[in-house]
Short mmCIF file of all heavy atoms in Angstrom, two decimals:
data_model
loop_
_atom_site.label_atom_id
_atom_site.label_comp_id
_atom_site.label_asym_id
_atom_site.label_seq_id
_atom_site.Cartn_x
_atom_site.Cartn_y
_atom_site.Cartn_z
N LEU A 24 2.66 9.28 -9.91
CA LEU A 24 1.96 8.13 -10.74
C LEU A 24 2.74 6.87 -10.66
O LEU A 24 2.14 5.75 -10.40
CB LEU A 24 1.84 8.60 -12.14
CG LEU A 24 1.22 7.57 -13.05
CD1 LEU A 24 -0.22 7.29 -12.61
CD2 LEU A 24 1.18 8.13 -14.46
N GLN A 25 4.07 6.90 -10.87
CA GLN A 25 4.80 5.65 -10.82
C GLN A 25 4.74 4.98 -9.43
O GLN A 25 4.53 3.79 -9.31
CB GLN A 25 6.36 5.98 -11.14
CG GLN A 25 6.58 6.34 -12.49
CD GLN A 25 8.03 6.64 -12.79
OE1 GLN A 25 8.91 5.93 -12.38
NE2 GLN A 25 8.34 7.73 -13.44
N ASP A 26 4.80 5.72 -8.33
CA ASP A 26 4.66 5.20 -7.03
C ASP A 26 3.33 4.63 -6.77
O ASP A 26 3.15 3.52 -6.21
CB ASP A 26 5.00 6.29 -6.01
CG ASP A 26 6.47 6.71 -5.96
OD1 ASP A 26 7.35 5.97 -6.51
OD2 ASP A 26 6.71 7.73 -5.26
N ALA A 27 2.24 5.32 -7.22
CA ALA A 27 0.94 4.82 -7.08
C ALA A 27 0.65 3.53 -7.74
O ALA A 27 0.00 2.64 -7.23
CB ALA A 27 -0.14 5.93 -7.41
N VAL A 28 1.12 3.50 -8.98
CA VAL A 28 0.90 2.27 -9.80
C VAL A 28 1.72 1.08 -9.24
O VAL A 28 1.24 -0.03 -9.05
CB VAL A 28 1.31 2.44 -11.29
CG1 VAL A 28 1.36 1.21 -12.05
CG2 VAL A 28 0.36 3.56 -11.95
N ARG A 29 2.91 1.38 -8.82
CA ARG A 29 3.74 0.35 -8.12
C ARG A 29 3.08 -0.16 -6.81
O ARG A 29 2.90 -1.42 -6.69
CB ARG A 29 5.15 0.91 -7.86
CG ARG A 29 6.06 -0.20 -7.35
CD ARG A 29 7.51 0.39 -7.22
NE ARG A 29 8.09 0.89 -8.45
CZ ARG A 29 8.20 2.15 -8.80
NH1 ARG A 29 7.89 3.13 -8.04
NH2 ARG A 29 8.71 2.42 -9.95
N ASP A 30 2.64 0.73 -6.06
CA ASP A 30 1.93 0.30 -4.76
C ASP A 30 0.75 -0.38 -5.01
O ASP A 30 0.40 -1.43 -4.31
CB ASP A 30 1.73 1.59 -3.99
CG ASP A 30 2.90 2.35 -3.40
OD1 ASP A 30 3.94 1.76 -3.41
OD2 ASP A 30 2.68 3.43 -2.86
N HIS A 31 -0.03 0.04 -6.00
CA HIS A 31 -1.29 -0.71 -6.39
C HIS A 31 -0.97 -2.12 -6.83
O HIS A 31 -1.63 -3.14 -6.44
CB HIS A 31 -1.99 0.03 -7.48
CG HIS A 31 -3.37 -0.67 -7.86
ND1 HIS A 31 -4.44 -0.66 -7.17
CD2 HIS A 31 -3.52 -1.52 -9.00
CE1 HIS A 31 -5.37 -1.38 -7.77
NE2 HIS A 31 -4.80 -1.90 -8.90
N CYS A 32 0.00 -2.28 -7.73
CA CYS A 32 0.37 -3.62 -8.17
C CYS A 32 0.89 -4.51 -7.09
O CYS A 32 0.59 -5.71 -6.98
CB CYS A 32 1.39 -3.47 -9.29
SG CYS A 32 0.75 -2.71 -10.83
N VAL A 33 1.73 -3.98 -6.13
CA VAL A 33 2.18 -4.76 -5.05
C VAL A 33 1.01 -5.23 -4.11
O VAL A 33 0.91 -6.39 -3.74
CB VAL A 33 3.17 -3.97 -4.19
CG1 VAL A 33 3.46 -4.57 -2.85
CG2 VAL A 33 4.48 -3.78 -4.98
N ARG A 34 0.01 -4.27 -3.90
CA ARG A 34 -1.11 -4.65 -3.12
C ARG A 34 -1.92 -5.83 -3.78
O ARG A 34 -2.34 -6.81 -3.13
CB ARG A 34 -2.08 -3.45 -2.86
CG ARG A 34 -1.69 -2.58 -1.71
CD ARG A 34 -2.73 -1.57 -1.33
NE ARG A 34 -3.15 -0.74 -2.48
CZ ARG A 34 -2.58 0.35 -2.90
NH1 ARG A 34 -1.52 0.75 -2.23
NH2 ARG A 34 -2.99 1.06 -3.83
N GLN A 35 -2.08 -5.69 -5.15
CA GLN A 35 -2.86 -6.73 -5.90
C GLN A 35 -2.08 -8.07 -5.77
O GLN A 35 -2.78 -9.11 -5.65
CB GLN A 35 -3.07 -6.24 -7.39
CG GLN A 35 -3.97 -5.08 -7.51
CD GLN A 35 -5.32 -5.39 -6.98
OE1 GLN A 35 -5.66 -4.91 -5.93
NE2 GLN A 35 -6.10 -6.17 -7.65
N GLU A 36 -0.80 -7.99 -5.91
CA GLU A 36 -0.04 -9.31 -5.75
C GLU A 36 -0.24 -9.87 -4.37
O GLU A 36 -0.41 -11.08 -4.28
CB GLU A 36 1.48 -9.06 -6.08
CG GLU A 36 1.72 -8.73 -7.52
CD GLU A 36 3.18 -8.36 -7.75
OE1 GLU A 36 4.03 -8.31 -6.70
OE2 GLU A 36 3.56 -7.92 -8.84
N LYS A 37 -0.25 -9.07 -3.35
CA LYS A 37 -0.33 -9.60 -1.97
C LYS A 37 -1.70 -10.14 -1.75
O LYS A 37 -1.91 -11.19 -1.09
CB LYS A 37 -0.04 -8.46 -0.94
CG LYS A 37 1.44 -8.09 -0.89
CD LYS A 37 1.70 -7.04 0.11
CE LYS A 37 3.19 -6.83 0.14
NZ LYS A 37 3.49 -5.77 1.09
N VAL A 38 -2.75 -9.57 -2.33
CA VAL A 38 -4.16 -10.02 -2.22
C VAL A 38 -4.18 -11.35 -2.97
O VAL A 38 -4.76 -12.23 -2.41
CB VAL A 38 -5.12 -8.99 -2.80
CG1 VAL A 38 -6.49 -9.65 -3.03
CG2 VAL A 38 -5.24 -7.71 -1.91
N ALA A 39 -3.62 -11.47 -4.14
CA ALA A 39 -3.63 -12.75 -4.91
C ALA A 39 -2.92 -13.87 -4.03
O ALA A 39 -3.40 -14.98 -4.00
CB ALA A 39 -3.03 -12.59 -6.19
N GLU A 40 -1.84 -13.46 -3.45
CA GLU A 40 -1.06 -14.49 -2.68
C GLU A 40 -1.81 -14.95 -1.43
O GLU A 40 -1.81 -16.15 -1.13
CB GLU A 40 0.32 -13.85 -2.24
CG GLU A 40 1.25 -13.73 -3.39
CD GLU A 40 2.56 -12.90 -3.03
OE1 GLU A 40 2.65 -12.52 -1.84
OE2 GLU A 40 3.31 -12.69 -3.90
N ALA A 41 -2.50 -13.94 -0.74
CA ALA A 41 -3.33 -14.30 0.38
C ALA A 41 -4.42 -15.19 -0.04
O ALA A 41 -4.81 -16.17 0.73
CB ALA A 41 -3.79 -13.01 1.07
N HIS A 42 -5.17 -14.89 -1.16
CA HIS A 42 -6.18 -15.72 -1.59
C HIS A 42 -5.75 -17.13 -1.94
O HIS A 42 -6.40 -18.10 -1.48
CB HIS A 42 -6.86 -15.13 -2.82
CG HIS A 42 -8.03 -15.79 -3.41
ND1 HIS A 42 -9.24 -15.84 -2.82
CD2 HIS A 42 -8.13 -16.62 -4.50
CE1 HIS A 42 -10.03 -16.54 -3.42
NE2 HIS A 42 -9.42 -17.15 -4.51
N ALA A 43 -4.54 -17.28 -2.56
CA ALA A 43 -4.05 -18.68 -2.93
C ALA A 43 -3.76 -19.35 -1.58
O ALA A 43 -3.99 -20.57 -1.49
CB ALA A 43 -2.82 -18.44 -3.78
N TYR A 44 -3.19 -18.59 -0.62
CA TYR A 44 -2.85 -19.34 0.62
C TYR A 44 -4.08 -19.82 1.34
O TYR A 44 -4.14 -20.86 1.83
CB TYR A 44 -2.09 -18.38 1.51
CG TYR A 44 -1.69 -18.88 2.90
CD1 TYR A 44 -0.81 -19.95 2.96
CD2 TYR A 44 -2.36 -18.46 4.00
CE1 TYR A 44 -0.52 -20.46 4.27
CE2 TYR A 44 -2.00 -19.03 5.28
CZ TYR A 44 -1.07 -19.96 5.34
OH TYR A 44 -0.86 -20.54 6.57
N ALA A 45 -5.14 -18.88 1.29
CA ALA A 45 -6.39 -19.31 1.95
C ALA A 45 -7.01 -20.56 1.31
O ALA A 45 -7.44 -21.41 2.00
CB ALA A 45 -7.40 -18.14 1.90
N GLN A 46 -6.89 -20.54 -0.05
CA GLN A 46 -7.46 -21.67 -0.70
C GLN A 46 -6.66 -23.04 -0.47
O GLN A 46 -7.32 -24.07 -0.21
CB GLN A 46 -7.32 -21.52 -2.29
CG GLN A 46 -8.31 -20.43 -2.80
CD GLN A 46 -9.68 -20.66 -2.34
OE1 GLN A 46 -10.27 -21.78 -2.49
NE2 GLN A 46 -10.37 -19.64 -1.91
N GLU A 47 -5.33 -22.87 -0.24
CA GLU A 47 -4.59 -24.05 0.22
C GLU A 47 -5.02 -24.54 1.63
O GLU A 47 -5.16 -25.71 1.86
CB GLU A 47 -3.05 -23.67 0.30
CG GLU A 47 -2.39 -23.46 -1.05
CD GLU A 47 -1.01 -23.02 -0.92
OE1 GLU A 47 -0.39 -23.21 0.17
OE2 GLU A 47 -0.45 -22.45 -1.93
#
Side-chain angles (χ1 to χ4, degrees):
L24 176 62
Q25 290 177 47
D26 290 347
V28 170
R29 187 175 296 107
D30 291 347
H31 177 80
C32 291
V33 167
R34 277 192 304 276
Q35 291 301 105
E36 289 173 3
K37 288 180 180 181
V38 166
E40 290 170 2
H42 181 75
Y44 178 69
Q46 293 305 314
E47 289 175 21

